Amino acid sequence: MNIFHDDRIVLTLDAGGTNFVFSAMQRGQEIVPPITRPSQAHDLDLCLKNILEGFQAIKDQLPADPVAISFSFPGPADYKNGVIGSLPNLPAFRHAGGVALGPMLEDYFQLPTFIANDGDLFTYGESIAGILPRVNDKLQARGVAKTYSNLLGVTLGTGFGGGVVVNGQLCQGDNSSGGEIWLTRNFRDTRLIAEEGACIRGLMRFYSDLTGAPTTLSPKDIYEVAQGQQEGNRAAALQAFDNMAAVIAESLCNAITLIDGIIVIGGGLSGAYPLLAPRIVSYMSGTIAMADGTVLPRLVSKVYDLENPESCEAFLDYSQNEVTVPFSGRKVRHNLDKRIAIGTTHVGTNTAIALGAYAIALKNLSTNSEQNILLNRFI
């Protein structure tokens, strides 16, 4: 599926706690100026009316009829059926039994509606138009007969989000709960969830604990202190990022052991990738032990950093992976040297989410089944 050569139009939404931003995509590109409306987070009726009006305002600008609505929305939710649960950042949705947001949009616009969480859509977008094609294009250019089709995506920001793509397919889980990496155990404090050490508040808490005083510094400030670009407790800032890297790395190890593929990092804190990545790779390249004292590599595969030129070159170099066939002299390449890689988003987190939403809609639609999608949603 090439989303950049598809003329179908899909309505999209970037749903934040304060504002909703509506748009539309065609051929993998935004085709109208976005429209922003307040979320009305404390009033369900006003919130839902704003969603309807926002999509209608975009629809009225389009050169042709849209074929679907597709967007990310916070959870918990039954995404497959379009029902949103109780949301901490949108109090209007704290209703027993959930809010049937997807079916509401389908009834109003008579369009198939697809909703997913941002971690899923970010990862799916990166698998189609981001890090996976980037890696595979580089390997193909080297004449390496290997293709990566599995991707673990994580977003670092106000939370610690995740998504999983296996063999090119988004894995949302049987209960719309795939990729919930935020709930893995915190390596630095096993009482806590990983998100408490792998997000904005976690970084700020690490820095405050290390300096012994509450901090008013933003993550960007702490990053600049760590890089020597701003005055402050540099040792504490560096250690805060190291602590965060350890939490992220252990969660990534647990997840990638089951998935075996490429890892992509997005979100607001991905701007600190140059500081985080070396420590993450170092932790992931460490060891783990058996009860008898036997020491094993933490992962089966060796981890490479795609954003580090030397490490990326080593990842791409398969020239030594050959073995001679017994009794013939013929040489064959092999993958006994197992490799995975970690990198940051190049298309941008928001763009990847939008592309993921667009691709999800197109994948689920076909010329003769669009109405069936609407009917089957209620069977």
Side-chain angles (χ1 to χ4, degrees), residues 295-372:
V295 176
L296 302 171
R298 180 62 183 86
L299 295 174
V300 172
S301 301
K302 186 173 180 180
V303 185
Y304 296 83
D305 180 2
L306 293 173
E307 313 308 330
N308 178 297
E310 184 177 340
S311 183
C312 182
E313 176 62 28
F315 170 74
L316 296 171
D317 184 10
Y318 275 80
S319 60
Q320 303 303 314
N321 285 33
E322 291 185 340
V323 64
T324 301
V325 179
F327 310 117
S328 77
R330 182 168 65 92
K331 293 184 181 296
V332 296
R333 291 185 177 182
H334 63 80
N335 292 318
L336 291 176
D337 178 12
K338 301 179 186 297
R339 307 175 186 190
I340 60 173
I342 184 171
T344 188
T345 176
H346 282 205
V347 300
T349 304
N350 290 338
T351 298
I353 291 171
L355 290 171
Y358 183 62
I360 282 285
L362 298 186
K363 182 178 183 298
N364 283 283
L365 294 175
S366 66
T367 303
N368 298 318
S369 67
E370 292 176 12
Q371 292 305 315
N372 288 336

Side-chain angles (χ1 to χ4, degrees), residues 168-190:
Q169 303 295 315
L170 179 62
C171 179
Q172 293 175 289
D174 291 329
N175 298 291
S176 299
S177 297
E180 301 285 351
I181 197 168
W182 63 277
L183 199 51
T184 51
R185 194 170 295 277
N186 188 316
F187 186 64
R188 284 298 186 195
D189 186 341
T190 56

Side-chain angles (χ1 to χ4, degrees), residues 20-298:
F20 292 156
V21 183
F22 302 86
S23 190
M25 295 193 78
Q26 182 181 45
R27 291 177 167 254
Q29 301 289 331
E30 197 172 66
I31 60 170
V32 293
I35 291 175
T36 301
R37 289 183 178 269
S39 67
Q40 301 290 359
H42 295 277
D43 188 310
L44 183 61
D45 285 344
L46 289 177
C47 179
L48 295 178
K49 286 176 181 177
N50 268 1
I51 291 175
L52 292 174
E53 291 171 1
F55 278 126
Q56 185 63 56
I58 291 293
K59 187 172 180 289
D60 291 342
Q61 299 181 50
L62 298 178
D65 289 336
V67 297
I69 299 169
S70 186
F71 58 96
S72 71
F73 209 80
D78 175 358
Y79 289 112
K80 292 178 181 178
N81 290 303
V83 178
I84 308 301
S86 180
L87 305 182
N89 294 330
L90 289 169
F93 283 81
R94 293 176 187 170
H95 285 251
V99 178
L101 178 60
M104 178 195 78
L105 291 167
E106 289 175 335
D107 286 352
Y108 188 88
F109 291 102
Q110 289 298 293
L111 289 172
T113 299
F114 306 96
I115 308 175
N117 72 40
D118 56 356
D120 284 341
L121 294 184
F122 166 70
T123 307
Y124 195 52
E126 285 286 337
S127 74
I128 292 172
I131 197 168
L132 273 193
R134 175 159 58 102
V135 166
N136 289 327
D137 287 349
K138 287 178 180 293
L139 288 169
Q140 186 178 23
R142 299 289 187 97
V144 177
K146 182 176 179 64
T147 300
Y148 283 84
S149 57
N150 300 327
L151 180 65
L152 171 65
V154 294
T155 54
L156 308 175
T158 55
F160 182 32
V164 175
V165 168
V166 176
N167 293 329
Q169 303 295 315
L170 179 62
C171 179
Q172 293 175 289
D174 291 329
N175 298 291
S176 299
S177 297
E180 301 285 351
I181 197 168
W182 63 277
L183 199 51
T184 51
R185 194 170 295 277
N186 188 316
F187 186 64
R188 284 298 186 195
D189 186 341
T190 56
R191 300 170 304 143
L192 304 178
I193 61 173
E195 185 172 88
E196 290 298 328
C199 67
I200 288 172
R201 67 181 180 274
L203 178 66
M204 294 175 69
R205 185 183 302 110
F206 282 137
Y207 186 73
S208 293
D209 290 346
L210 288 161
T211 57
T215 183
T216 58
L217 296 183
S218 69
K220 182 175 182 293
D221 291 329
I222 298 172
Y223 175 77
E224 290 179 353
V225 171
Q227 296 288 69
Q229 300 167 355
Q230 184 179 145
E231 288 190 6
N233 190 328
R234 189 177 185 189
L238 287 168
Q239 187 60 53
F241 274 103
D242 190 270
N243 290 349
M244 185 179 186
V247 174
I248 295 168
E250 186 63 18
S251 292
L252 292 180
C253 283
N254 290 331
I256 207 64
T257 295
L258 302 178
I259 298 165
D260 183 24
I262 302 298
I263 301 169
V264 61
I265 294 179
L269 286 175
S270 64
Y273 183 91
L275 192 57
L276 286 169
R279 301 305 301 150
I280 291 174
V281 172
S282 177
Y283 279 114
M284 294 181 75
S285 303
T287 60
I288 196 166
M290 297 175 63
D292 64 3
T294 302
V295 176
L296 302 171
R298 180 62 183 86

